[in-house]
Amino acid sequence: MSELDALYQEVILDHAKRPRNCHTMEGADRRAEGYNPLCGDRFTLYLKLENDRIADISFQGTGCAISTASASILTEMLKGKTLAEADKLFDNFHKLVTGKSADGTEALGKLAVFCGVSEFPVRVKCAILAWHTMRNALADDRGVASTE
Ligand code: ZN
């Protein structure tokens, strides 16, 4: 394992063990559930919006290390972002974990730790779950986001 891989793994494990913004939210403007049947990951995402900006974001649920870390990092990265910025990050992250883009990692910040996931198709669904759920929440779709 390279030094960079080891560092990335450390960041993922840290977020999996001590997820940030992991709590339910009173008075959330948006809420969506995500479920990945392949792995059993299940999260609820909560959002507070101020005009076109994500004022607050949190999640609650259970999942594997990858999905939990992804949800944790997502909440860290999206707090304070505009909806357009959130959409752009979703696109970049989707490309990253599906191995479609080798560049663009500079725009990803901490999300770059998930670059190794593209080599494990089953894990891609774990990594992307919180992001699909976020998109559903922003679309005000109250159904359950599924990776299937
Ligand atoms: Zn999983």
Side-chain angles (χ1 to χ4, degrees), residues 18-146:
R18 296 183 296 114
R20 322 302 198 261
N21 307 303
C22 184
H23 53 81
T24 57
M25 189 189 291
E26 291 287 318
D29 296 310
R30 301 288 175 87
R31 191 196 130 127
E33 281 174 44
Y35 177 51
N36 173 16
L38 276 183
C39 183
D41 312 311
R42 191 186 286 273
F43 296 108
T44 305
L45 202 68
Y46 304 87
L47 286 149
K48 265 184 197 158
L49 300 175
E50 272 173 22
N51 302 317
D52 71 336
R53 199 170 282 278
I54 297 169
D56 203 6
I57 179 167
S58 72
F59 77 103
Q60 181 74 281
T62 51
C64 65
I66 297 278
S67 62
T68 305
S70 180
S72 172
I73 292 172
L74 172 142
T75 59
E76 264 196 350
M77 294 210 47
L78 289 188
K79 205 180 273 192
K81 291 274 193 301
T82 65
L83 301 187
E85 287 167 340
D87 248 5
K88 182 82 191 145
L89 269 178
F90 174 91
D91 284 343
N92 284 343
F93 185 68
H94 192 267
K95 279 185 191 147
L96 176 86
V97 297
T98 53
K100 278 181 192 132
S101 168
D103 54 61
T105 45
E106 73 281 355
L108 286 162
K110 204 180 256 183
L111 294 176
V113 301
F114 292 101
C115 65
V117 166
S118 63
E119 290 165 43
F120 308 96
V122 173
R123 288 300 178 202
V124 170
K125 296 189 182 227
C126 300
I128 204 87
L129 177 64
W131 289 83
H132 278 301
T133 310
M134 178 273 291
R135 288 252 285 209
N136 278 11
L138 292 179
D140 207 13
D141 178 347
R142 284 168 195 275
V144 175
S146 174

